Amino acid sequence: MKLLLRFSAILVAAGCFSQAQPARTDSPNKPIPTTAVSYRVLTDTPVEILDELASNYTGDLEQWREGWIQSNFTTTLDGQSTIRLLEIACYADVMCHTIEYPLRVVTHDFIRERMDMPEVRSSLEWIRSSYHSGLPLKEPGDTTGDFDGMLVESMNFRMREYANQLLKSSDSTSVK
């Protein structure tokens, strides 16, 4: 069973599973829309990024938030950058990095404010249904192997949790 799960993870990481929807038979002459999207996930830990962010944090959340938004404002928020920002915040959260709380708050706020962008919403839906961490299976510093796979499982769980929270908050605000 463990071998089958690892093999499935390899196939997913290699892109062997297609997310394309089945062919429609009602209009054979019309192009078939596909939802197959290929996103890249982190394969290396973002420790340097987190350490730099932490070095700029003075304890004033609003001041740091403004600086973080300014540095990310030039980033075109598309599906890929949404995933990258969430993965960095998620890694900080999972690893209990000193910047975890402020980074999670500003990242979620930044994305939540842009939920009207179709690319953002579709990347969150992809996270919810298909995300699988590309980080190494072992937790950094785990010399005994006691936490084998815990980093990936924690990232997978937390990323889906983030996507659900953001989608739910977006749905509840659009209903009003």
Side-chain angles (χ1 to χ4, degrees):
M1 180 66 177
K2 219 176 194 182
L3 181 61
L4 179 60
L5 288 174
R6 286 187 180 165
F7 182 67
S8 295
I10 292 168
L11 290 175
V12 169
C16 296
F17 290 113
S18 172
Q19 295 176 359
Q21 294 182 354
R24 293 174 46 190
T25 57
D26 58 341
S27 301
N29 294 331
K30 290 185 181 178
I32 300 169
T34 63
T35 58
V37 178
S38 178
Y39 293 112
R40 292 178 316 278
V41 297
L42 287 178
T43 55
D44 293 316
T45 60
V47 174
E48 295 83 21
I49 294 169
L50 294 174
D51 289 345
E52 182 180 337
L53 289 169
S55 71
N56 295 325
Y57 185 65
T58 62
D60 182 342
L61 180 61
E62 282 307 309
Q63 179 185 9
W64 185 81
R65 180 183 194 277
E66 291 304 315
W68 185 89
I69 288 173
Q70 284 296 331
S71 68
N72 284 292
F73 190 73
T74 57
T75 302
T76 303
L77 194 62
D78 58 11
Q80 185 61 60
S81 58
T82 300
I83 291 168
R84 179 171 167 73
L85 290 173
L86 278 175
E87 280 185 307
I88 292 169
C90 182
Y91 183 83
D93 195 5
V94 166
M95 297 305 291
C96 300
H97 195 279
T98 57
I99 200 71
E100 73 174 294
Y101 175 75
L103 183 58
R104 185 180 70 242
V105 169
V106 299
T107 301
H108 283 222
D109 288 348
F110 187 73
I111 292 169
R112 191 176 294 111
E113 291 167 2
R114 289 153 181 81
M115 288 294 292
D116 59 333
M117 300 172 70
E119 302 88 5
V120 171
R121 181 170 279 283
S122 95
S123 68
L124 293 172
E125 289 171 356
W126 178 84
I127 290 170
R128 185 166 57 184
S129 65
S130 304
Y131 179 82
H132 186 77
S133 176
L135 292 175
L137 287 176
K138 292 195 182 291
E139 182 173 331
D142 180 23
T143 56
T144 63
D146 291 339
F147 299 109
D148 193 22
M150 291 300 291
L151 174 60
V152 168
E153 290 306 313
S154 297
M155 288 289 293
N156 293 343
F157 176 79
R158 194 66 52 91
M159 285 291 288
R160 289 185 183 105
E161 184 179 271
Y162 286 179
N164 283 329
Q165 288 170 357
L166 288 163
L167 288 166
K168 184 177 179 180
S169 70
S170 170
D171 292 342
S172 67
T173 58
S174 64
V175 170
K176 293 180 181 178

